[in-house]
Amino acid sequence: ETAFTFLLGIGMEPRCRCIKTESRRIGSYIQKVELFPPSPQCEDTEIIATMKRSGREICLEPTAPWVKKVIEKILAK
Amino acid sequence: ETAFTFLLGIGMEPRCRCIKTESRRIGSYIQKVELFPPSPQCEDTEIIATMKRSGREICLEPTAPWVKKVIEKILAK
């Protein structure tokens, strides 16, 4: 099991980062948004928002229209 | 100077991450894209792409139309 854990620990992320995604709106106190395109490690597009102050990371639902709007709003600033 | 460095080292990033931005197209081997909305530490929107394999980080020009398209493409996957 140690060798297995070791193998998982090297190189890129071995699997998807998000177990579930938030489809409800989150507040606007976003410090950053990370976009991960599909890859051999995870076939889903993953979007992770990091909140200001708390530093909490929240997986956002890529298909939710408000998520697209949040990203467009950041790009327009 | 040590105390100053120490103060800069704690808390949030003290200033903008990008010194200059890339307005030419980069390849599609993007591992992730980070979006940073304007903040007290940096008044600019910052977009940083991390490339696959090399892990190289490239600051993208937020106003470049192709940058918006790259992000929309990720969201559409």
Side-chain angles (χ1 to χ4, degrees), chain A residues 5 13 29 32-33 38 50 53 56 60 73 77:
Chain A
T5 307
E13 299 280 332
Y29 294 104
K32 71 169 170 176
V33 177
T50 303
R53 292 174 183 274
R56 199 179 146 211
L60 307 184
K73 206 173 156 187
K77 272 176 188 166

Side-chain angles (χ1 to χ4, degrees), chain A residues 17-27 30 32-36 44-51 56-71 74, chain B residues 35 75:
Chain A
R17 292 163 186 82
C18 297
I19 296 164
K20 57 177 188 166
T21 58
E22 181 61 69
S23 52
R24 288 171 304 174
R25 262 168 221 278
I26 58 169
I30 295 173
K32 71 169 170 176
V33 177
E34 289 170 296
L35 310 174
F36 296 89
D44 307 321
T45 292
E46 297 189 291
I47 303 177
I48 304 175
T50 303
M51 306 308 286
R56 199 179 146 211
E57 295 186 321
I58 303 173
C59 288
L60 307 184
E61 176 50 46
T63 59
W66 72 269
V67 172
K68 205 182 169 191
K69 277 181 195 158
V70 162
I71 289 166
I74 293 174
Chain B
L35 309 174
L75 292 177

